[in-house]
Amino acid sequence: MESITFQLLRDYSAVGFGANRAFSYRFTRKSNQTRVSFPKLIRTSSGFKSCSATLSLMVEVEEKPKFDADKTALLVKEVRKSFNSGKTRSYEWRVSQLKSIEKMVEEKEMEITEALHKDLSKPAFEAFISEISQVKSSCKLALKELSSWMIPEKVKTSLTTYPSSAEIVSEPLGVVLVISTWNFPFLLSLDPVIGAISAGNAVVLKPSEIAPATSLLLSNLVQEYLDNSAIRVVEGAVDETTALLAQKWDKILYTGSARVARIVMAAAAKHLTPVILELGGKCPAVVDSNIDLQVAVRRIIAGKWACNNGQACIGVDYIITTNAFAPKLIHSLRHELEQFFGKDPMKSKDISRIVSSSHFARLVKLLDEENVSDKVVFGGQRDENQLKIAPTILLDVPEDSQIMQEEIFGPLMPIHTVEKLEDSFEVINSKQKPLAAYLFTNDELLKKDFVQNISSGGMLINDTVVHVATEGLPFGGVGESGMGSYHGKFSFDAFSHKKAVLYRSFAGDASIRYPPYSPEKQRLLKALISGNIISIILALIGWSRD
């Protein structure tokens, strides 16, 4: 009997978070069978729950062919051939694929929910609200607006090109690569794909291997429901991603950490490929005292612990409030957290688990750092077997501690206090620009100052996270939190080339543009370029007098 251990060290992460991810899969090989140990999922009337026991199954070993550079090049060649045929450009093809995604989500909702639970223990309600319904909404909007998005935009022309007309034509870029992440593995895979399809592109999707159940499901569903000549899924980890990045793409959208984003951008630069990078950062929530405290606290909890248990790029990373108001805020947070998740949140079925043992260990390290562990004012419970950490609040941890220097991406919430709320601006601006910034206040002047003085990918006043579900707003970062944006019409634009087109007839051909260049011609041409009607008239008069 032969024992083989595969250790896969990976640096994939959620939006804006970089953490080393180590997987250890132990296979005991016996003839053609393999014994695999993995966490057991027990189905109950209310869904699924995790158990620290292991379940051993005898499964057939299927050696997957290596996904090397040659196979990757062949895949891209096949997809590009489909794009070059022109099929993806048609309105009918785009609509058919969008309707197929809509049908797929409708028919496979249970399977999607189960996969998300296997990967993250994500509650069914949260899975529907934050992932499934968002994909449905993106499809519905694209189907409703696609015909208008595709209409060329008319542009005014100038006297120098008279008579003429002009327009901006949105054309597909070509073959695009979408590299998604694990924290919202269904939504963040399909949402950009919907935009790419709407714009008429062929697409290759690389889901995150850190959410293996969702990755496998996406691969199977895309193969079953969509046009595989133009839309493909490549599963895998670093080797597969490296092979994909070595190819020539017409655009790459990557969701993940700033560290990996630099690798993606460097690979793209070799081919002058444009990129959209959706990253993250330390998203602050500034809390004033003149508010409806219960509503504000509930919304903060919804944007932290009820949002994949803090594992979200736009989730609240830390709170800033005044010294005087902090005790009242903490008391309210404690009360509402108990209302939401019970006296023992470790037993709650309404909160996701930490995605992996390495991510769990990283969060514990942040929590146990010297001069940090004694700052816990609520929570702090942990269970490594179930990969759960309770909602935890810390007060005034040192600014130079790791928990205040890196994106937390978990259920730990530091509260930083200041003398007066305006001092929060300096705290936020001392860090890298976040993907989102939140303010809770009824002070109109403070709202105005916050919008004007804080730079972030997005901003929300008196709530958290819901701005990303607003159809007319772009979603994207700035600086270290990313570049480019998508969602709704912005997704269509992100995967389109805006081609400038000018139409002229053979009439109205002016001799002043051609040699020889006399002083009179130069005078008239300068007047035409200036657009000043008096100068034009004077130039024409001068021309006629000669």
Side-chain angles (χ1 to χ4, degrees):
M1 188 176 294
E2 181 184 9
S3 179
I4 304 172
T5 300
F6 294 88
Q7 180 78 11
L8 304 175
L9 297 177
R10 297 301 182 251
D11 188 49
Y12 283 100
S13 56
V15 186
F17 162 74
N20 290 326
R21 162 80 174 176
F23 293 103
S24 294
Y25 298 104
R26 183 171 298 276
F27 297 87
T28 304
R29 189 181 301 276
K30 184 177 181 181
S31 65
N32 290 327
Q33 292 181 322
T34 297
R35 184 178 302 275
V36 184
S37 295
F38 52 87
K40 185 177 182 180
L41 286 176
I42 301 175
R43 183 156 192 166
T44 67
S45 59
S46 59
F48 297 84
K49 69 176 183 179
S50 297
C51 160
S52 58
T54 59
L55 176 66
S56 294
L57 295 179
M58 299 303 292
V59 296
E60 294 296 323
V61 175
E62 181 181 348
E63 296 292 342
K64 287 189 175 182
K66 185 179 179 183
F67 196 80
D68 57 18
D70 292 338
K71 286 186 172 62
T72 314
L74 180 60
L75 177 146
V76 176
K77 183 179 179 180
E78 291 171 352
V79 174
R80 191 170 294 281
K81 180 180 179 181
S82 183
F83 173 77
N84 290 339
S85 72
K87 67 186 294 185
T88 68
R89 293 174 177 265
S90 73
Y91 173 78
E92 291 74 19
W93 183 87
R94 304 183 201 193
V95 168
S96 71
Q97 298 309 297
L98 293 172
K99 286 184 176 178
S100 293
I101 293 176
E102 194 175 41
K103 180 183 178 184
M104 175 185 79
V105 177
E106 193 68 36
E107 293 180 350
K108 303 296 183 180
E109 183 174 321
M110 178 59 72
E111 288 88 339
I112 296 164
T113 303
E114 291 176 359
L116 292 171
H117 192 276
K118 288 177 182 178
D119 288 330
L120 291 154
S121 289
K122 189 168 288 193
F125 181 79
E126 185 181 332
F128 178 80
I129 293 296
S130 65
E131 302 214 45
I132 296 169
S133 68
Q134 294 299 311
V135 172
K136 287 182 177 180
S137 295
S138 293
C139 272
K140 288 183 185 299
L141 179 65
L143 286 167
K144 178 184 176 184
E145 302 292 344
L146 183 58
S147 58
S148 63
W149 292 347
M150 292 176 66
I151 296 173
E153 178 186 348
K154 296 297 181 182
V155 177
K156 290 182 179 180
T157 58
S158 65
L159 279 172
T160 56
T161 60
Y162 181 84
S164 65
S165 63
E167 63 184 11
I168 300 171
V169 176
S170 296
E171 66 175 11
L173 291 169
V175 181
V176 302
L177 173 64
V178 173
I179 305 174
S180 68
T181 189
W182 56 261
N183 59 335
F184 295 90
F186 189 73
L187 171 66
L188 296 180
S189 292
L190 286 185
D191 203 6
V193 167
I194 289 167
I197 291 172
S198 299
N201 298 279
V203 192
V204 174
L205 167 65
K206 165 58 183 66
S208 173
E209 77 283 4
I210 300 177
T214 307
S215 176
L216 178 60
L217 181 65
L218 282 166
S219 179
N220 292 337
L221 293 183
V222 167
Q223 187 172 6
E224 179 182 351
Y225 282 86
L226 300 181
D227 180 358
N228 296 152
S229 69
I231 306 168
R232 302 281 283 275
V233 173
V234 174
E235 288 194 272
V238 169
D239 292 342
E240 289 75 14
T241 305
T242 302
L244 288 167
L245 287 174
Q247 303 303 311
K248 171 70 175 76
W249 304 93
D250 296 296
K251 195 153 196 175
I252 298 173
L253 185 147
Y254 166 75
T255 302
S257 71
R259 183 177 183 276
V260 177
R262 287 176 168 82
I263 298 170
V264 172
M265 198 169 182
K270 294 178 181 178
H271 301 287
L272 295 180
T273 299
V275 297
I276 298 175
L277 303 177
E278 296 299 343
L279 311 177
K282 294 187 73 64
C283 300
V286 178
V287 182
D288 201 353
S289 58
N290 64 342
I291 56 174
D292 185 323
L293 183 56
Q294 183 183 41
V295 172
V297 163
R298 283 172 169 254
R299 291 175 177 178
I300 289 171
I301 293 172
K304 177 69 169 183
W305 296 284
C307 192
N308 205 26
N309 202 10
Q311 299 171 113
C313 59
I314 54 171
V316 180
D317 188 275
Y318 66 105
I319 293 172
I320 305 176
T321 193
T322 61
N323 296 322
F325 191 62
K328 192 173 181 180
L329 175 61
I330 292 169
H331 176 77
S332 184
L333 280 166
R334 292 169 62 106
H335 175 75
E336 296 301 330
L337 282 168
E338 288 184 1
Q339 294 297 307
F340 287 3
F341 304 118
K343 293 286 186 180
D344 185 358
M346 303 294 281
K347 296 180 179 178
S348 174
K349 297 177 181 178
D350 295 319
I351 194 165
S352 302
R353 65 167 169 81
I354 307 305
V355 69
S356 70
S357 57
S358 61
H359 188 49
F360 180 92
R362 189 192 69 89
L363 290 168
V364 169
K365 184 179 178 181
L366 292 180
L367 193 56
D368 289 346
E369 186 180 355
E370 187 179 0
N371 298 323
V372 171
S373 58
D374 61 346
K375 303 296 184 181
V376 173
V377 294
F378 179 77
Q381 305 96 312
R382 63 194 76 166
D383 184 337
E384 186 174 3
N385 289 329
Q386 296 190 64
L387 295 179
K388 283 191 173 184
I389 299 176
T392 301
I393 302 171
L394 306 97
L395 180 62
D396 282 331
V397 298
E399 186 61 30
D400 61 354
S401 62
Q402 205 63 31
I403 199 171
M404 289 304 293
Q405 294 300 310
E406 67 179 53
E407 186 177 8
I408 296 169
F409 228 77
L412 315 180
M413 177 78 89
I415 296 179
H416 182 93
T417 61
V418 291
E419 287 297 323
K420 57 183 187 298
L421 214 58
E422 288 75 12
D423 295 339
S424 63
F425 292 14
E426 183 179 350
V427 175
I428 297 169
N429 289 331
S430 69
K431 304 179 188 300
Q432 295 288 352
K433 296 177 181 180
L435 187 59
Y438 306 110
L439 171 66
F440 290 85
T441 186
N442 282 315
D443 186 327
E444 294 301 324
L445 181 59
L446 184 60
K447 293 177 186 177
K448 182 178 179 181
D449 289 345
F450 191 77
V451 172
Q452 185 173 342
N453 294 301
I454 299 300
S455 180
S456 60
M459 188 170 284
L460 184 52
I461 310 298
N462 292 333
D463 207 337
T464 61
V465 307
V466 294
H467 63 295
V468 300
T470 303
E471 292 177 353
L473 291 177
F475 173 67
V478 57
E480 285 282 313
S481 61
M483 63 177 67
S485 61
Y486 71 113
H487 281 194
K489 174 64 158 55
F490 297 96
S491 292
F492 178 87
D493 292 339
F495 291 105
S496 298
H497 166 60
K498 301 300 180 180
K499 182 166 61 179
V501 181
L502 181 70
Y503 298 93
R504 295 203 70 200
S505 72
F506 290 106
D509 193 49
S511 62
I512 63 169
R513 67 182 292 191
Y514 306 119
Y517 301 120
S518 66
E520 293 81 9
K521 284 185 177 181
Q522 292 183 47
R523 194 162 51 245
L524 180 56
L525 188 60
K526 287 181 179 179
L528 287 169
I529 292 173
S530 73
N532 188 303
I533 190 66
I534 295 177
S535 298
I536 294 172
I537 292 172
L538 289 175
L540 287 170
I541 292 173
W543 176 267
S544 63
R545 283 178 179 177
D546 292 338

